[in-house]
Structure formats: C-alpha cells, structure tokens
PDB file of all heavy atoms in Angstrom:
ATOM      1  N   SER A 882     -25.556  22.851  41.076  1.00  0.00           N
ATOM      2  CA  SER A 882     -24.184  22.888  40.402  1.00  0.00           C
ATOM      3  C   SER A 882     -23.462  24.122  40.841  1.00  0.00           C
ATOM      4  O   SER A 882     -23.775  25.268  40.666  1.00  0.00           O
ATOM      5  CB  SER A 882     -24.411  22.842  38.881  1.00  0.00           C
ATOM      6  OG  SER A 882     -23.146  23.109  38.335  1.00  0.00           O
ATOM      7  N   GLN A 883     -22.250  23.814  41.466  1.00  0.00           N
ATOM      8  CA  GLN A 883     -21.414  24.980  41.871  1.00  0.00           C
ATOM      9  C   GLN A 883     -20.737  25.703  40.606  1.00  0.00           C
ATOM     10  O   GLN A 883     -20.479  26.873  40.702  1.00  0.00           O
ATOM     11  CB  GLN A 883     -20.194  24.361  42.753  1.00  0.00           C
ATOM     12  CG  GLN A 883     -20.735  23.839  44.125  1.00  0.00           C
ATOM     13  CD  GLN A 883     -21.353  24.943  44.894  1.00  0.00           C
ATOM     14  OE1 GLN A 883     -20.755  26.058  44.928  1.00  0.00           O
ATOM     15  NE2 GLN A 883     -22.366  24.705  45.550  1.00  0.00           N
ATOM     16  N   ILE A 884     -20.556  24.936  39.637  1.00  0.00           N
ATOM     17  CA  ILE A 884     -19.984  25.450  38.315  1.00  0.00           C
ATOM     18  C   ILE A 884     -20.958  26.381  37.682  1.00  0.00           C
ATOM     19  O   ILE A 884     -20.543  27.593  37.403  1.00  0.00           O
ATOM     20  CB  ILE A 884     -19.581  24.348  37.315  1.00  0.00           C
ATOM     21  CG1 ILE A 884     -18.489  23.455  37.923  1.00  0.00           C
ATOM     22  CG2 ILE A 884     -19.114  24.963  36.036  1.00  0.00           C
ATOM     23  CD1 ILE A 884     -18.178  22.289  37.117  1.00  0.00           C
ATOM     24  N   ALA A 885     -22.136  25.979  37.547  1.00  0.00           N
ATOM     25  CA  ALA A 885     -23.133  26.814  36.961  1.00  0.00           C
ATOM     26  C   ALA A 885     -23.476  28.082  37.854  1.00  0.00           C
ATOM     27  O   ALA A 885     -23.765  29.257  37.431  1.00  0.00           O
ATOM     28  CB  ALA A 885     -24.507  26.096  36.791  1.00  0.00           C
ATOM     29  N   ALA A 886     -23.452  27.912  39.255  1.00  0.00           N
ATOM     30  CA  ALA A 886     -23.701  29.001  40.075  1.00  0.00           C
ATOM     31  C   ALA A 886     -22.604  30.101  39.860  1.00  0.00           C
ATOM     32  O   ALA A 886     -22.943  31.417  40.137  1.00  0.00           O
ATOM     33  CB  ALA A 886     -23.649  28.527  41.523  1.00  0.00           C
ATOM     34  N   LYS A 887     -21.450  29.806  39.510  1.00  0.00           N
ATOM     35  CA  LYS A 887     -20.291  30.837  39.335  1.00  0.00           C
ATOM     36  C   LYS A 887     -20.233  31.258  37.817  1.00  0.00           C
ATOM     37  O   LYS A 887     -19.323  32.121  37.642  1.00  0.00           O
ATOM     38  CB  LYS A 887     -18.960  30.228  39.808  1.00  0.00           C
ATOM     39  CG  LYS A 887     -18.991  29.828  41.325  1.00  0.00           C
ATOM     40  CD  LYS A 887     -17.708  29.241  41.613  1.00  0.00           C
ATOM     41  CE  LYS A 887     -17.632  28.858  43.062  1.00  0.00           C
ATOM     42  NZ  LYS A 887     -16.398  28.145  43.500  1.00  0.00           N
ATOM     43  N   LEU A 888     -21.121  30.837  37.086  1.00  0.00           N
ATOM     44  CA  LEU A 888     -20.943  31.185  35.620  1.00  0.00           C
ATOM     45  C   LEU A 888     -21.525  32.602  35.402  1.00  0.00           C
ATOM     46  O   LEU A 888     -22.650  32.930  35.890  1.00  0.00           O
ATOM     47  CB  LEU A 888     -21.749  30.214  34.748  1.00  0.00           C
ATOM     48  CG  LEU A 888     -21.654  30.565  33.278  1.00  0.00           C
ATOM     49  CD1 LEU A 888     -20.373  30.394  32.678  1.00  0.00           C
ATOM     50  CD2 LEU A 888     -22.689  29.632  32.520  1.00  0.00           C
ATOM     51  N   GLU A 889     -20.736  33.557  34.858  1.00  0.00           N
ATOM     52  CA  GLU A 889     -21.171  34.840  34.443  1.00  0.00           C
ATOM     53  C   GLU A 889     -20.972  35.016  32.909  1.00  0.00           C
ATOM     54  O   GLU A 889     -20.002  34.588  32.426  1.00  0.00           O
ATOM     55  CB  GLU A 889     -20.306  35.891  35.294  1.00  0.00           C
ATOM     56  CG  GLU A 889     -20.602  35.831  36.752  1.00  0.00           C
ATOM     57  CD  GLU A 889     -19.809  36.893  37.519  1.00  0.00           C
ATOM     58  OE1 GLU A 889     -19.024  37.542  36.861  1.00  0.00           O
ATOM     59  OE2 GLU A 889     -19.901  36.964  38.725  1.00  0.00           O
ATOM     60  N   MET A 890     -21.778  35.781  32.389  1.00  0.00           N
ATOM     61  CA  MET A 890     -21.818  35.948  30.939  1.00  0.00           C
ATOM     62  C   MET A 890     -22.396  37.209  30.565  1.00  0.00           C
ATOM     63  O   MET A 890     -23.445  37.613  31.045  1.00  0.00           O
ATOM     64  CB  MET A 890     -22.605  34.783  30.268  1.00  0.00           C
ATOM     65  CG  MET A 890     -22.280  34.456  28.799  1.00  0.00           C
ATOM     66  SD  MET A 890     -23.190  33.095  28.172  1.00  0.00           S
ATOM     67  CE  MET A 890     -22.527  31.802  29.274  1.00  0.00           C
ATOM     68  N   GLY A 891     -21.735  37.965  29.676  1.00  0.00           N
ATOM     69  CA  GLY A 891     -22.262  39.214  29.161  1.00  0.00           C
ATOM     70  C   GLY A 891     -23.136  38.990  27.920  1.00  0.00           C
ATOM     71  O   GLY A 891     -23.403  37.909  27.444  1.00  0.00           O
ATOM     72  N   ARG A 892     -23.703  40.014  27.422  1.00  0.00           N
ATOM     73  CA  ARG A 892     -24.663  40.059  26.329  1.00  0.00           C
ATOM     74  C   ARG A 892     -24.114  39.394  25.134  1.00  0.00           C
ATOM     75  O   ARG A 892     -24.738  38.537  24.454  1.00  0.00           O
ATOM     76  CB  ARG A 892     -25.207  41.486  26.023  1.00  0.00           C
ATOM     77  CG  ARG A 892     -26.083  41.592  24.869  1.00  0.00           C
ATOM     78  CD  ARG A 892     -26.535  42.971  24.641  1.00  0.00           C
ATOM     79  NE  ARG A 892     -25.451  43.953  24.325  1.00  0.00           N
ATOM     80  CZ  ARG A 892     -24.815  44.011  23.169  1.00  0.00           C
ATOM     81  NH1 ARG A 892     -25.391  43.303  22.187  1.00  0.00           N
ATOM     82  NH2 ARG A 892     -23.813  44.775  22.946  1.00  0.00           N
ATOM     83  N   THR A 893     -22.910  39.761  24.697  1.00  0.00           N
ATOM     84  CA  THR A 893     -22.312  39.262  23.534  1.00  0.00           C
ATOM     85  C   THR A 893     -21.992  37.741  23.570  1.00  0.00           C
ATOM     86  O   THR A 893     -22.332  37.055  22.696  1.00  0.00           O
ATOM     87  CB  THR A 893     -20.990  39.987  23.156  1.00  0.00           C
ATOM     88  OG1 THR A 893     -21.360  41.445  23.137  1.00  0.00           O
ATOM     89  CG2 THR A 893     -20.429  39.574  21.800  1.00  0.00           C
ATOM     90  N   LYS A 894     -21.440  37.385  24.707  1.00  0.00           N
ATOM     91  CA  LYS A 894     -21.133  35.964  24.962  1.00  0.00           C
ATOM     92  C   LYS A 894     -22.296  35.022  24.991  1.00  0.00           C
ATOM     93  O   LYS A 894     -22.426  34.039  24.478  1.00  0.00           O
ATOM     94  CB  LYS A 894     -20.265  35.786  26.161  1.00  0.00           C
ATOM     95  CG  LYS A 894     -19.630  34.347  26.282  1.00  0.00           C
ATOM     96  CD  LYS A 894     -18.880  34.204  27.570  1.00  0.00           C
ATOM     97  CE  LYS A 894     -17.593  34.973  27.483  1.00  0.00           C
ATOM     98  NZ  LYS A 894     -16.721  34.779  28.684  1.00  0.00           N
ATOM     99  N   LEU A 895     -23.379  35.611  25.595  1.00  0.00           N
ATOM    100  CA  LEU A 895     -24.666  34.970  25.662  1.00  0.00           C
ATOM    101  C   LEU A 895     -25.402  34.710  24.203  1.00  0.00           C
ATOM    102  O   LEU A 895     -25.771  33.669  23.921  1.00  0.00           O
ATOM    103  CB  LEU A 895     -25.635  35.773  26.585  1.00  0.00           C
ATOM    104  CG  LEU A 895     -27.068  35.009  26.743  1.00  0.00           C
ATOM    105  CD1 LEU A 895     -26.823  33.628  27.385  1.00  0.00           C
ATOM    106  CD2 LEU A 895     -27.979  35.926  27.593  1.00  0.00           C
ATOM    107  N   ALA A 896     -25.142  35.838  23.432  1.00  0.00           N
ATOM    108  CA  ALA A 896     -25.576  35.724  22.045  1.00  0.00           C
ATOM    109  C   ALA A 896     -24.861  34.599  21.290  1.00  0.00           C
ATOM    110  O   ALA A 896     -25.536  33.906  20.534  1.00  0.00           O
ATOM    111  CB  ALA A 896     -25.469  37.025  21.321  1.00  0.00           C
ATOM    112  N   TYR A 897     -23.595  34.541  21.520  1.00  0.00           N
ATOM    113  CA  TYR A 897     -22.754  33.465  20.806  1.00  0.00           C
ATOM    114  C   TYR A 897     -23.183  32.086  21.306  1.00  0.00           C
ATOM    115  O   TYR A 897     -23.368  31.105  20.556  1.00  0.00           O
ATOM    116  CB  TYR A 897     -21.290  33.720  21.039  1.00  0.00           C
ATOM    117  CG  TYR A 897     -20.642  34.617  20.097  1.00  0.00           C
ATOM    118  CD1 TYR A 897     -20.465  35.878  20.357  1.00  0.00           C
ATOM    119  CD2 TYR A 897     -20.309  34.111  18.849  1.00  0.00           C
ATOM    120  CE1 TYR A 897     -19.737  36.824  19.507  1.00  0.00           C
ATOM    121  CE2 TYR A 897     -19.645  34.994  17.907  1.00  0.00           C
ATOM    122  CZ  TYR A 897     -19.429  36.341  18.218  1.00  0.00           C
ATOM    123  OH  TYR A 897     -18.823  37.216  17.348  1.00  0.00           O
ATOM    124  N   LEU A 898     -23.488  31.953  22.597  1.00  0.00           N
ATOM    125  CA  LEU A 898     -23.828  30.688  23.188  1.00  0.00           C
ATOM    126  C   LEU A 898     -25.179  30.256  22.535  1.00  0.00           C
ATOM    127  O   LEU A 898     -25.367  29.009  22.188  1.00  0.00           O
ATOM    128  CB  LEU A 898     -24.065  30.790  24.665  1.00  0.00           C
ATOM    129  CG  LEU A 898     -24.515  29.521  25.406  1.00  0.00           C
ATOM    130  CD1 LEU A 898     -23.538  28.450  25.275  1.00  0.00           C
ATOM    131  CD2 LEU A 898     -24.778  29.889  26.904  1.00  0.00           C
ATOM    132  N   ILE A 899     -26.119  31.178  22.401  1.00  0.00           N
ATOM    133  CA  ILE A 899     -27.387  30.728  21.792  1.00  0.00           C
ATOM    134  C   ILE A 899     -27.387  30.473  20.390  1.00  0.00           C
ATOM    135  O   ILE A 899     -27.820  29.368  19.857  1.00  0.00           O
ATOM    136  CB  ILE A 899     -28.492  31.944  21.961  1.00  0.00           C
ATOM    137  CG1 ILE A 899     -28.761  32.209  23.518  1.00  0.00           C
ATOM    138  CG2 ILE A 899     -29.705  31.687  21.186  1.00  0.00           C
ATOM    139  CD1 ILE A 899     -29.541  33.354  23.828  1.00  0.00           C
ATOM    140  N   THR A 900     -26.567  31.324  19.659  1.00  0.00           N
ATOM    141  CA  THR A 900     -26.441  31.103  18.173  1.00  0.00           C
ATOM    142  C   THR A 900     -25.661  29.928  17.767  1.00  0.00           C
ATOM    143  O   THR A 900     -26.085  29.060  16.884  1.00  0.00           O
ATOM    144  CB  THR A 900     -25.714  32.322  17.492  1.00  0.00           C
ATOM    145  OG1 THR A 900     -26.486  33.512  17.901  1.00  0.00           O
ATOM    146  CG2 THR A 900     -25.769  32.270  16.027  1.00  0.00           C
ATOM    147  N   PHE A 901     -24.523  29.703  18.484  1.00  0.00           N
ATOM    148  CA  PHE A 901     -23.580  28.543  17.970  1.00  0.00           C
ATOM    149  C   PHE A 901     -23.626  27.342  18.892  1.00  0.00           C
ATOM    150  O   PHE A 901     -22.997  26.392  18.581  1.00  0.00           O
ATOM    151  CB  PHE A 901     -22.230  29.194  17.938  1.00  0.00           C
ATOM    152  CG  PHE A 901     -22.097  30.131  16.919  1.00  0.00           C
ATOM    153  CD1 PHE A 901     -21.904  31.573  17.336  1.00  0.00           C
ATOM    154  CD2 PHE A 901     -22.169  29.971  15.539  1.00  0.00           C
ATOM    155  CE1 PHE A 901     -21.747  32.634  16.383  1.00  0.00           C
ATOM    156  CE2 PHE A 901     -22.135  31.005  14.589  1.00  0.00           C
ATOM    157  CZ  PHE A 901     -21.925  32.374  15.079  1.00  0.00           C
ATOM    158  N   GLY A 902     -24.345  27.542  20.006  1.00  0.00           N
ATOM    159  CA  GLY A 902     -24.469  26.375  20.998  1.00  0.00           C
ATOM    160  C   GLY A 902     -25.828  25.750  20.991  1.00  0.00           C
ATOM    161  O   GLY A 902     -26.043  24.564  20.628  1.00  0.00           O
ATOM    162  N   LEU A 903     -26.862  26.598  21.408  1.00  0.00           N
ATOM    163  CA  LEU A 903     -28.246  25.980  21.606  1.00  0.00           C
ATOM    164  C   LEU A 903     -28.825  25.783  20.191  1.00  0.00           C
ATOM    165  O   LEU A 903     -29.541  24.732  20.046  1.00  0.00           O
ATOM    166  CB  LEU A 903     -28.949  26.897  22.376  1.00  0.00           C
ATOM    167  CG  LEU A 903     -28.495  27.101  23.879  1.00  0.00           C
ATOM    168  CD1 LEU A 903     -29.417  28.062  24.552  1.00  0.00           C
ATOM    169  CD2 LEU A 903     -28.484  25.752  24.578  1.00  0.00           C
ATOM    170  N   THR A 904     -28.742  26.736  19.286  1.00  0.00           N
ATOM    171  CA  THR A 904     -29.330  26.675  17.977  1.00  0.00           C
ATOM    172  C   THR A 904     -29.140  25.460  17.250  1.00  0.00           C
ATOM    173  O   THR A 904     -30.078  24.775  16.741  1.00  0.00           O
ATOM    174  CB  THR A 904     -29.212  27.908  17.177  1.00  0.00           C
ATOM    175  OG1 THR A 904     -29.630  29.104  17.876  1.00  0.00           O
ATOM    176  CG2 THR A 904     -29.935  27.888  15.823  1.00  0.00           C
ATOM    177  N   PRO A 905     -27.890  25.026  17.062  1.00  0.00           N
ATOM    178  CA  PRO A 905     -27.571  23.815  16.252  1.00  0.00           C
ATOM    179  C   PRO A 905     -28.143  22.542  16.965  1.00  0.00           C
ATOM    180  O   PRO A 905     -28.672  21.640  16.212  1.00  0.00           O
ATOM    181  CB  PRO A 905     -26.072  23.736  16.246  1.00  0.00           C
ATOM    182  CG  PRO A 905     -25.650  25.140  16.401  1.00  0.00           C
ATOM    183  CD  PRO A 905     -26.637  25.821  17.323  1.00  0.00           C
ATOM    184  N   TYR A 906     -28.182  22.506  18.282  1.00  0.00           N
ATOM    185  CA  TYR A 906     -28.716  21.367  18.936  1.00  0.00           C
ATOM    186  C   TYR A 906     -30.307  21.256  18.639  1.00  0.00           C
ATOM    187  O   TYR A 906     -30.709  20.164  18.339  1.00  0.00           O
ATOM    188  CB  TYR A 906     -28.552  21.480  20.400  1.00  0.00           C
ATOM    189  CG  TYR A 906     -29.311  20.532  21.284  1.00  0.00           C
ATOM    190  CD1 TYR A 906     -28.820  19.150  21.346  1.00  0.00           C
ATOM    191  CD2 TYR A 906     -30.487  20.922  21.998  1.00  0.00           C
ATOM    192  CE1 TYR A 906     -29.537  18.234  22.066  1.00  0.00           C
ATOM    193  CE2 TYR A 906     -31.134  19.956  22.678  1.00  0.00           C
ATOM    194  CZ  TYR A 906     -30.743  18.644  22.745  1.00  0.00           C
ATOM    195  OH  TYR A 906     -31.471  17.728  23.395  1.00  0.00           O
ATOM    196  N   PHE A 907     -30.981  22.335  18.947  1.00  0.00           N
ATOM    197  CA  PHE A 907     -32.433  22.419  18.668  1.00  0.00           C
ATOM    198  C   PHE A 907     -32.840  22.084  17.280  1.00  0.00           C
ATOM    199  O   PHE A 907     -33.824  21.419  16.837  1.00  0.00           O
ATOM    200  CB  PHE A 907     -33.101  23.560  19.221  1.00  0.00           C
ATOM    201  CG  PHE A 907     -33.131  23.537  20.712  1.00  0.00           C
ATOM    202  CD1 PHE A 907     -32.430  24.519  21.541  1.00  0.00           C
ATOM    203  CD2 PHE A 907     -33.929  22.712  21.468  1.00  0.00           C
ATOM    204  CE1 PHE A 907     -32.449  24.521  22.921  1.00  0.00           C
ATOM    205  CE2 PHE A 907     -34.072  22.635  22.812  1.00  0.00           C
ATOM    206  CZ  PHE A 907     -33.315  23.589  23.560  1.00  0.00           C
ATOM    207  N   THR A 908     -31.966  22.694  16.331  1.00  0.00           N
ATOM    208  CA  THR A 908     -32.223  22.387  14.932  1.00  0.00           C
ATOM    209  C   THR A 908     -32.044  21.063  14.527  1.00  0.00           C
ATOM    210  O   THR A 908     -32.892  20.373  13.801  1.00  0.00           O
ATOM    211  CB  THR A 908     -31.246  23.380  14.016  1.00  0.00           C
ATOM    212  OG1 THR A 908     -31.417  24.676  14.470  1.00  0.00           O
ATOM    213  CG2 THR A 908     -31.558  23.205  12.622  1.00  0.00           C
ATOM    214  N   ASN A 909     -31.107  20.373  15.053  1.00  0.00           N
ATOM    215  CA  ASN A 909     -30.816  18.940  14.779  1.00  0.00           C
ATOM    216  C   ASN A 909     -31.952  18.070  15.405  1.00  0.00           C
ATOM    217  O   ASN A 909     -32.458  17.120  14.711  1.00  0.00           O
ATOM    218  CB  ASN A 909     -29.457  18.424  15.434  1.00  0.00           C
ATOM    219  CG  ASN A 909     -28.348  18.933  14.714  1.00  0.00           C
ATOM    220  OD1 ASN A 909     -28.415  19.145  13.554  1.00  0.00           O
ATOM    221  ND2 ASN A 909     -27.269  19.158  15.418  1.00  0.00           N
ATOM    222  N   GLU A 910     -32.507  18.512  16.485  1.00  0.00           N
ATOM    223  CA  GLU A 910     -33.638  17.706  17.084  1.00  0.00           C
ATOM    224  C   GLU A 910     -34.842  17.799  16.265  1.00  0.00           C
ATOM    225  O   GLU A 910     -35.623  16.835  16.016  1.00  0.00           O
ATOM    226  CB  GLU A 910     -33.889  18.326  18.541  1.00  0.00           C
ATOM    227  CG  GLU A 910     -32.956  17.909  19.560  1.00  0.00           C
ATOM    228  CD  GLU A 910     -32.747  16.456  19.784  1.00  0.00           C
ATOM    229  OE1 GLU A 910     -33.759  15.831  20.066  1.00  0.00           O
ATOM    230  OE2 GLU A 910     -31.687  15.983  19.658  1.00  0.00           O
ATOM    231  N   ILE A 911     -35.160  19.009  15.707  1.00  0.00           N
ATOM    232  CA  ILE A 911     -36.262  19.230  14.782  1.00  0.00           C
ATOM    233  C   ILE A 911     -36.088  18.325  13.565  1.00  0.00           C
ATOM    234  O   ILE A 911     -37.075  17.621  13.170  1.00  0.00           O
ATOM    235  CB  ILE A 911     -36.428  20.648  14.390  1.00  0.00           C
ATOM    236  CG1 ILE A 911     -36.869  21.528  15.592  1.00  0.00           C
ATOM    237  CG2 ILE A 911     -37.488  20.872  13.272  1.00  0.00           C
ATOM    238  CD1 ILE A 911     -36.775  23.066  15.410  1.00  0.00           C
ATOM    239  N   PHE A 912     -34.904  18.410  12.973  1.00  0.00           N
ATOM    240  CA  PHE A 912     -34.770  17.640  11.795  1.00  0.00           C
ATOM    241  C   PHE A 912     -34.783  16.070  11.985  1.00  0.00           C
ATOM    242  O   PHE A 912     -35.159  15.292  11.163  1.00  0.00           O
ATOM    243  CB  PHE A 912     -33.477  17.976  10.991  1.00  0.00           C
ATOM    244  CG  PHE A 912     -33.578  19.249  10.200  1.00  0.00           C
ATOM    245  CD1 PHE A 912     -33.304  20.522  10.658  1.00  0.00           C
ATOM    246  CD2 PHE A 912     -34.058  19.173   8.862  1.00  0.00           C
ATOM    247  CE1 PHE A 912     -33.471  21.632   9.954  1.00  0.00           C
ATOM    248  CE2 PHE A 912     -34.267  20.302   8.180  1.00  0.00           C
ATOM    249  CZ  PHE A 912     -33.988  21.556   8.561  1.00  0.00           C
ATOM    250  N   LYS A 913     -34.403  15.702  13.147  1.00  0.00           N
ATOM    251  CA  LYS A 913     -34.580  14.283  13.541  1.00  0.00           C
ATOM    252  C   LYS A 913     -36.104  13.841  13.586  1.00  0.00           C
ATOM    253  O   LYS A 913     -36.401  12.749  13.163  1.00  0.00           O
ATOM    254  CB  LYS A 913     -33.915  14.069  14.972  1.00  0.00           C
ATOM    255  CG  LYS A 913     -32.370  13.909  14.907  1.00  0.00           C
ATOM    256  CD  LYS A 913     -31.898  13.669  16.368  1.00  0.00           C
ATOM    257  CE  LYS A 913     -30.432  13.661  16.408  1.00  0.00           C
ATOM    258  NZ  LYS A 913     -29.923  13.437  17.749  1.00  0.00           N
TER     259      LYS A 913
END
C-alpha cells in the first residue's frame, strides 16, 4: 500500500488511534 507506506504518526496521535480506533473494534468483537 502506497498510502500506508507514507503514513507518519507521532506518539499522541498513535495513542488516539489505539484508544478510539482499534479499542472499540476489538471490544465489539469480544462482546459479539
């Protein structure tokens, strides 16, 4: 992926991605 290859992210933005992006997804999967 050319888009992913150019993606740059700092510590704070990565924390937001994990907390508000990945966490709800995996939590929903567990409850399913």
Side-chain angles (χ1 to χ4, degrees):
S882 170
Q883 293 297 318
I884 296 175
K887 296 178 181 179
L888 179 65
E889 294 182 356
M890 200 176 297
R892 175 180 61 84
T893 306
K894 191 180 289 184
L895 181 61
Y897 274 100
L898 176 65
I899 293 171
T900 304
F901 300 108
L903 298 179
T904 298
Y906 169 76
F907 285 112
T908 303
N909 286 332
E910 288 298 304
I911 293 171
F912 278 96
K913 282 180 185 178

